[in-house]
Amino acid sequence: MELYSKHISKLIEQLGRLPGIGPKSAQRLAFHIIGLPEAQVQELASSITEAKENVHYCRECGTLTDQELCPICANPRRNHRQIMVVENSRDLAAYEKTQKYEGVYHVLNGAISPMLGIGPDDIRMKELMQRLQGDVDEVIIATNSSLEGETTAMYISKLIKPTGIKVTRIASGVPVGGDLEYIDEVTLLRALEGRVEL
Amino acid sequence: MELYSKHISKLIEQLGRLPGIGPKSAQRLAFHIIGLPEAQVQELASSITEAKENVHYCRECGTLTDQELCPICANPRRNHRQIMVVENSRDLAAYEKTQKYEGVYHVLNGAISPMLGIGPDDIRMKELMQRLQGDVDEVIIATNSSLEGETTAMYISKLIKPTGIKVTRIASGVPVGGDLEYIDEVTLLRALEGRVEL
């Protein structure tokens, strides 16, 4: 016997496909959604379809936006000669929240991963090299501090160095407020190697 | 400056309203959804609206179903003289998974909670009393072992006892496979009180 009726099972299955949502959460979410007022359910469903319909990649930096050119690329007060390379739009948002970075971005939409079969052609590397034909002073590589992120950073820096453009990498080390006791050894060694004089 | 474009923000906001989904998860889910193929996004959105349109409460037991009468209430081989009272459809599903219970259910769709201002009239108590007008041998109270669940169990048993129908409560105690060390004191005391001779 099926535990749930067809429509409930289908909703649970669909929700269970989303990242980080296990079978139990999917079940809980499904019952919650069914219990919501009609209007709220419509709003949820339409926010999904409308986001998909209207959001695409910025033609300049590749971040997700609903305009042709994202607000950052379209902003003449940003420093368009300084490009920060990030893996995805969420990482871009993380740096934007600091409200201190005044340059522009380049979103790779991925990272090189031989394990997953993702090579340089699968991320927006060609687009980055094209942008470097213009006037660029510095490329700041802000890919993640993971194996994939580091591999990507190395690859990009090797490719750019011959052009003479300055390439930098964001620092790795102990996070601010981090308790040494709970930080992994690789990070601790990185923090030691990257020590600065006081 | 807004971090995300309108449609992304709206989707993040909508997802963030779901239970157990914080701002970070909502952001992650939103970007995941936008990155899915068109057809999968449509399927997700339609599973939401279709579940809401087609699922309603069983007219007999009150569980969520897409038929007039749920498959359990419609099944003549179930024992309709034994009614298990549960708080919601998820709890019903939990007992159905055991595949051992042969009676039927009554779903309260809530529990009495003076704290939240939920009284007996806000849960399906009247419908339960109406069902007891028919031929019923036993009412098994399987509300949760929480303050609200216990309050509801007490209330129901007091109401039913004068009718002469047998009222039982599922046992509370140490979960099977549970390590005593990690179990709270109230449960340990319950398990002691409910001890059985070997």
Side-chain angles (χ1 to χ4, degrees):
Chain A
M1 200 204 100
E2 264 209 62
L3 273 185
Y4 298 117
S5 64
K6 200 182 63 189
H7 291 97
I8 303 179
S9 301
K10 204 190 152 197
L11 180 55
I12 294 175
E13 186 216 311
Q14 285 289 323
L15 294 170
R17 286 188 187 180
L18 298 174
I21 298 195
K24 284 266 169 188
S25 310
Q27 196 175 303
R28 201 160 140 249
L29 287 174
F31 282 110
H32 173 87
I33 290 170
I34 291 168
L36 288 175
E38 183 75 37
Q40 275 182 45
V41 174
Q42 285 302 340
E43 211 180 348
L44 172 63
S46 68
S47 70
I48 291 172
T49 48
E50 278 166 23
K52 181 65 189 174
E53 274 162 28
N54 294 290
V55 176
H56 44 81
Y57 299 120
C58 167
R59 89 173 131 75
E60 185 78 6
C61 74
T63 196
L64 290 166
T65 176
D66 43 17
Q67 280 126 309
E68 173 79 6
L69 205 60
C70 78
I72 297 167
C73 287
N75 187 344
R77 285 182 308 177
R78 305 284 298 223
N79 178 2
H80 290 254
R81 302 171 68 100
Q82 193 178 38
I83 301 178
M84 181 186 283
V85 179
V86 290
E87 291 184 21
N88 56 51
S89 299
R90 294 197 301 280
D91 295 344
L92 179 156
Y95 257 102
E96 276 302 282
K97 276 183 199 147
T98 67
Q99 297 191 353
K100 290 291 179 208
Y101 178 65
E102 316 231 288
V104 294
Y105 296 90
H106 187 82
V107 181
L108 294 172
N109 282 311
I112 296 171
S113 169
M115 287 262 290
L116 298 172
I118 302 172
D121 294 341
D122 303 314
I123 59 176
R124 298 180 67 258
M125 272 308 300
K126 212 167 50 196
E127 289 85 345
L128 175 62
M129 296 315 285
Q130 262 160 16
R131 287 179 75 181
L132 300 187
Q133 310 280 310
D135 282 336
V136 176
D137 296 333
E138 183 182 1
V139 174
I140 303 166
I141 308 178
T143 52
N144 285 326
S145 186
S146 60
L147 181 63
E148 291 77 16
E150 295 292 358
T151 308
T152 310
M154 296 269 273
Y155 181 87
I156 297 176
S157 85
K158 272 191 187 156
L159 218 63
I160 298 180
K161 280 231 174 104
T163 66
I165 297 169
K166 186 175 167 190
V167 190
T168 57
R169 175 87 174 107
I170 55 165
S172 37
V174 176
V176 178
D179 191 334
L180 286 199
E181 191 183 345
Y182 298 112
I183 291 166
D184 65 287
E185 290 144 45
V186 181
T187 303
L188 289 178
L189 284 176
R190 281 284 184 82
L192 184 63
E193 284 164 15
R195 67 190 180 278
V196 288
E197 224 171 308
L198 294 179
Chain B
M1 201 201 99
E2 265 209 63
L3 272 185
Y4 297 117
S5 64
K6 198 181 63 187
H7 291 96
I8 302 179
S9 301
K10 202 189 155 200
L11 180 55
I12 294 174
E13 186 215 313
Q14 285 289 324
L15 294 169
R17 286 188 187 181
L18 298 173
I21 298 193
K24 283 265 169 188
S25 309
Q27 197 175 302
R28 201 160 140 248
L29 288 174
F31 282 110
H32 174 87
I33 290 171
I34 291 168
L36 288 174
E38 183 74 35
Q40 276 181 46
V41 174
Q42 285 302 340
E43 212 179 345
L44 172 64
S46 68
S47 70
I48 291 171
T49 47
E50 279 167 22
K52 180 65 189 172
E53 272 162 28
N54 293 289
V55 175
H56 45 80
Y57 299 120
C58 167
R59 89 172 129 77
E60 186 76 7
C61 74
T63 195
L64 290 166
T65 177
D66 43 19
Q67 279 125 310
E68 172 78 5
L69 204 60
C70 78
I72 298 168
C73 287
N75 187 345
R77 286 182 307 176
R78 304 285 297 224
N79 178 2
H80 289 254
R81 301 171 68 98
Q82 195 178 36
I83 300 178
M84 182 186 282
V85 179
V86 291
E87 291 184 21
N88 56 50
S89 300
R90 294 196 303 278
D91 295 345
L92 179 157
Y95 257 102
E96 276 302 284
K97 276 182 198 149
T98 67
Q99 298 193 349
K100 290 290 179 210
Y101 178 65
E102 316 230 291
V104 292
Y105 296 90
H106 187 82
V107 181
L108 294 173
N109 283 312
I112 296 170
S113 169
M115 285 263 290
L116 299 172
I118 301 173
D121 294 341
D122 302 314
I123 59 176
R124 297 181 66 260
M125 272 308 300
K126 215 168 46 196
E127 290 85 345
L128 175 61
M129 296 315 284
Q130 262 159 17
R131 287 177 76 181
L132 300 187
Q133 309 280 312
D135 282 337
V136 176
D137 296 333
E138 184 183 359
V139 173
I140 304 166
I141 307 178
T143 51
N144 285 327
S145 186
S146 60
L147 181 63
E148 291 77 16
E150 296 293 358
T151 308
T152 309
M154 294 271 272
Y155 180 87
I156 296 175
S157 86
K158 272 191 186 156
L159 219 62
I160 298 179
K161 278 226 175 113
T163 67
I165 297 168
K166 187 175 166 190
V167 190
T168 57
R169 176 88 173 105
I170 54 165
S172 36
V174 177
V176 177
D179 192 333
L180 287 199
E181 192 182 346
Y182 298 112
I183 291 167
D184 64 287
E185 289 143 47
V186 182
T187 302
L188 289 177
L189 284 177
R190 281 285 183 83
L192 183 64
E193 284 164 16
R195 67 193 181 277
V196 288
E197 225 171 305
L198 294 178

